[in-house]
Amino acid sequence: IDSIKAAMADISVYGAIDPARKQRWTEYRYEIGVDRIYDAQTLSSDYLIENIDMTFEAVEKWPWGKYYSFDDICRYILPYRIGDEKPERWRRAFADKYVPVMDSIYAGTDVVDAVISLHKYLKNSTTFVYENDFHSPRLGGEYLFKYSVGACREGTDMVTYILRSLGIPASADLYVYAPDSY
């Protein structure tokens, strides 16, 4: 998995990858032979406390946070990961980068308008390198923050990390067939 991440990072940094290296990792299936490691066995209380504290700091910072139910916060802002990625300390990096952005692009109180403003900002100022050749578990917040590369799932994950770091509820759904597929 680290080798796939390194190959994808090269695409993000250099715009291309050696074809032999690409061929080697395109066929790799990470699900085969990988032991399952449970969060309860590896996550520290410090990690969980930091995640909880940062979640509630984000929710309390913005005027729209007062309208969330505790259940919504727990389901759509608090999760420290999205799927099968390795748990990482991603919240601080995203908050440090995107809280000042949100402060500068939106001063209102409506979360929908805030997300629309953020979408315009991201569309005009962020580069995400689309790469769909590799099969990997989710890449994780730290990796996406640094490299911004991957397929549609990773682009969605990136936005989910951004929104959650801003105290905006976020989740993702999956279209098995996209409208332009045939």
Side-chain angles (χ1 to χ4, degrees), residues 4-156:
I4 291 171
K5 283 182 164 184
M8 290 179 72
D10 283 353
I11 295 167
S12 175
V13 174
Y14 304 113
I17 185 173
D18 175 48
R21 187 174 181 201
K22 183 176 183 176
Q23 180 62 35
R24 177 177 182 195
W25 294 111
T26 300
E27 302 299 321
Y28 174 73
R29 303 305 275 186
Y30 74 91
E31 303 95 335
I32 300 170
V34 175
D35 294 329
R36 187 174 290 223
I37 301 170
Y38 295 95
D39 291 353
Q41 298 169 337
T42 60
L43 296 182
S44 70
S45 59
D46 289 341
Y47 173 85
L48 295 172
I49 291 167
E50 176 185 305
N51 189 65
I52 292 166
D53 288 347
M54 290 191 71
T55 295
F56 283 94
E57 284 174 23
V59 168
E60 292 167 3
K61 176 174 179 25
W62 309 102
W64 49 80
K66 65 185 173 190
Y67 299 108
Y68 302 153
S69 70
F70 182 72
D71 188 54
D72 286 343
I73 293 168
C74 291
R75 287 177 184 249
Y76 303 113
I77 304 172
L78 178 62
Y80 51 84
R81 66 172 165 182
I82 297 167
D84 60 0
E85 75 271 30
K86 179 182 173 185
E88 300 173 325
R89 295 179 186 267
W90 56 268
R91 276 189 199 272
R92 177 66 58 208
F94 279 89
D96 287 350
K97 181 172 182 177
Y98 292 102
V99 166
V101 168
M102 185 59 80
D103 280 338
S104 71
I105 63 173
Y106 187 73
T109 60
D110 186 281
V111 69
V112 174
D113 289 340
V115 172
I116 290 168
S117 297
L118 181 64
H119 175 259
K120 288 177 186 174
Y121 170 83
L122 293 173
K123 194 172 160 183
N124 293 324
S125 65
T126 306
T127 302
F128 189 88
V129 179
Y130 183 77
E131 172 51 53
N132 198 28
D133 290 323
F134 299 102
H135 184 73
S136 69
R138 286 185 145 87
L139 300 173
E142 290 177 352
Y143 183 88
L144 291 173
F145 185 83
K146 185 173 182 179
Y147 295 110
S148 299
V149 63
C152 293
R153 179 184 69 182
E154 285 72 35
T156 301

